[in-house]
Amino acid sequence: MAIPEKCIENYKYTFQKELLRGKVAFVTGGASGICFTIAEVLMRHGCDTVIVSRRMDKLKQSADLLMKATGRRCVPIQMDVRKPEQIIKAVDEALAQMGRIDILINGAAGNFLAPAASLSFNAFKTVMEIDCHGTFNVSKVVYDKFFKDHGGMIVNITATLQMRGTALQTHAGSAKAAIEAMTRHLAVEWGPDKVRVMCVAPGPIGDTEGMNRLGGKHLTDNILKVIPIQRIGTRQDIGDTVLYVVSNAAQLLTGTTIIADGGNCLTDDNNFIARRAMEIPSLIRYNHILLYDSKSQGQQLIDCHGGKHLTQDFINAIPCQRLGTRQDIGDTVMYVVSDAAQLLTGTTVIADGGSHLTRSNNFQERMTLLKNSRL
């Protein structure tokens, strides 16, 4: 069930209230979720908005809420980001009513939890079309219609799940990664036309339908304690981040991604076994893992770095389902020094069975480990 939209109570201003006076923002996905709040924050700083999505009833309701809370103008326009002809019509209408578009927020998105093996071809295609194709479609139309001659600011809302590879998110992660690549290309090509293109990547954000769909109901105090700032983000956090990005204070920012997650991407364990267990426990398979012999030198080296605290759950979280061996590293070095690797120089070959993608980086656990090692 969708979370009813509501505006921020007792909004606290960091920037001047007139920061965006005279500006107009075109916000896809602006009728709900994070993009609703992004629209609100922009409007609270003097910006008028056009919010677009597929449901006109929801758009009208959200536009009324936003105008009452901010005193600014908000025009609702029905549009599907997958359909260029609808986008052209919507942008023409926005320009006719507003006279300009200064800011484009690409926030329309689709997501759900699903293992890659169970994804239908159409399901993967649909997410790519809404997220990736939709971002390009709207950006191109707005550029052609206005930004090419007047300049402007594009902010693409992505995520952090594509940074390491997240279980059950092959479809969404692929789309977000493509958007971030697209952002770099467009920043290079459209920069001379005074168009900046940026990504803002939210981490876990409370009070969103996306959080509820993607495992938010499983949040515990222990999970929150792992986040460096000790809390999940709010929709206002993302709105304020976007506000900075579109302001004149960020004129040197283009072609990059601002990660707004309180440091969660640095410490999240990204345990794919645990993520599978959240929604589809029938997919869990525990394989027999052969650990090092406790008397071997290899085990002694591992013990120096906390290996004696390894558990079966730790091993299960490694994608290849085992620890590496000294032979694994020897074989890797043999490849690197061979003629087969003549193009490899100045880079790093990561030989860890994918552990860097999924291992826990819980600083509290590591501090406990350090303390225990001194006993």
Side-chain angles (χ1 to χ4, degrees):
M1 183 177 179
I3 297 175
E5 297 306 326
K6 61 180 181 179
C7 292
I8 302 166
E9 295 181 5
N10 302 317
Y11 179 82
K12 294 182 179 180
Y13 285 86
T14 300
F15 296 87
Q16 293 181 351
K17 293 183 179 181
E18 302 298 310
L19 183 70
L20 301 180
R21 173 69 66 178
K23 303 287 188 181
V24 174
F26 190 96
V27 186
T28 73
S32 62
I34 290 175
C35 288
F36 172 89
T37 301
I38 290 173
E40 177 189 349
V41 171
L42 298 183
M43 292 171 72
R44 287 184 180 276
H45 291 81
C47 190
D48 292 324
T49 62
V50 176
I51 58 173
V52 298
S53 72
R54 288 177 290 174
R55 288 181 51 191
M56 194 60 184
D57 58 335
K58 179 66 174 175
L59 281 165
K60 289 181 177 179
Q61 182 183 38
S62 295
D64 287 342
L65 286 172
L66 290 168
M67 287 189 288
K68 288 178 182 178
T70 67
R72 303 302 306 177
R73 188 180 179 193
C74 180
V75 176
I77 299 179
Q78 189 173 17
M79 186 192 84
D80 188 331
V81 298
R82 296 171 293 180
K83 299 179 178 180
E85 66 280 2
Q86 290 188 16
I87 301 170
I88 292 170
K89 182 178 178 181
V91 172
D92 283 341
E93 182 178 347
L95 290 171
Q97 292 206 42
M98 296 296 204
R100 62 189 297 148
I101 296 174
D102 303 279
I103 300 163
L104 168 61
I105 308 296
N106 284 310
N111 200 3
F112 46 85
L113 291 173
S118 299
L119 271 174
S120 69
F121 297 116
N122 189 60
F124 185 88
K125 176 184 176 182
T126 297
V127 172
M128 290 295 290
E129 286 183 338
I130 295 173
D131 288 43
C132 181
H133 296 184
T135 294
F136 176 77
N137 293 342
V138 181
S139 296
K140 177 171 171 52
V141 173
V142 173
Y143 173 80
D144 288 343
K145 295 282 186 178
F146 198 79
F147 283 3
K148 183 177 181 179
D149 296 321
H150 302 87
M153 179 70 224
I154 299 174
V155 180
N156 300 322
I157 306 303
T158 57
T160 58
L161 51 86
Q162 73 277 11
M163 294 176 61
R164 291 192 289 172
T166 303
L168 314 181
Q169 292 286 270
T170 297
H171 47 303
S174 299
K176 300 303 187 186
I179 291 170
E180 292 191 349
M182 184 195 310
T183 295
R184 293 188 288 272
H185 289 289
L186 296 182
V188 170
E189 291 194 25
W190 293 350
D193 296 320
K194 297 182 180 180
V195 177
R196 290 194 295 119
V197 191
M198 285 288 293
C199 287
V200 170
I205 304 298
D207 298 327
T208 63
E209 185 177 355
M211 173 65 81
N212 288 344
R213 287 183 179 181
L214 304 179
K217 61 186 177 182
H218 298 277
L219 285 175
T220 65
D221 287 342
N222 288 335
I223 291 176
L224 295 180
K225 288 178 181 177
V226 170
I227 301 174
I229 67 168
Q230 303 286 282
R231 68 174 177 86
I232 61 173
T234 67
R235 301 198 319 192
Q236 182 179 333
D237 287 322
I238 304 305
D240 287 343
T241 300
V242 171
L243 177 64
Y244 160 67
V245 171
V246 303
S247 75
N248 287 335
Q251 292 183 57
L252 283 184
L253 273 63
T254 191
T256 61
T257 299
I258 291 184
I259 300 172
D261 72 343
N264 181 68
C265 64
L266 301 174
T267 56
D268 177 22
D269 65 7
N270 197 27
N271 185 328
F272 68 96
I273 293 294
R275 289 179 186 272
R276 284 179 171 180
M278 288 195 310
E279 298 293 339
I280 42 176
S282 62
L283 291 178
I284 297 177
R285 299 290 185 269
Y286 290 98
N287 298 325
H288 174 69
I289 305 298
L290 179 63
L291 299 174
Y292 283 83
D293 185 289
S294 62
K295 295 182 180 180
S296 73
Q297 182 181 3
Q299 182 64 49
Q300 291 172 11
L301 290 171
I302 290 176
D303 283 349
C304 292
H305 295 276
K308 59 187 175 184
H309 300 279
L310 290 176
T311 64
Q312 187 68 34
D313 288 340
F314 180 94
I315 302 299
N316 289 338
I318 300 174
C320 77
Q321 301 281 278
R322 68 173 178 87
L323 294 173
T325 67
R326 290 188 290 174
Q327 180 179 336
D328 288 323
I329 304 306
D331 289 346
T332 302
V333 172
M334 180 66 73
Y335 160 67
V336 170
V337 302
S338 73
D339 288 343
Q342 292 183 53
L343 286 184
L344 272 63
T345 187
T347 62
T348 300
V349 176
I350 301 174
D352 71 345
S355 177
H356 70 284
L357 298 172
T358 59
R359 71 173 182 266
S360 173
N361 192 22
N362 187 324
F363 62 93
Q364 292 184 331
E365 288 183 359
R366 290 180 180 273
M367 290 302 293
T368 300
L369 181 65
L370 176 62
K371 180 179 178 182
N372 291 340
S373 69
R374 292 173 175 172
L375 297 179

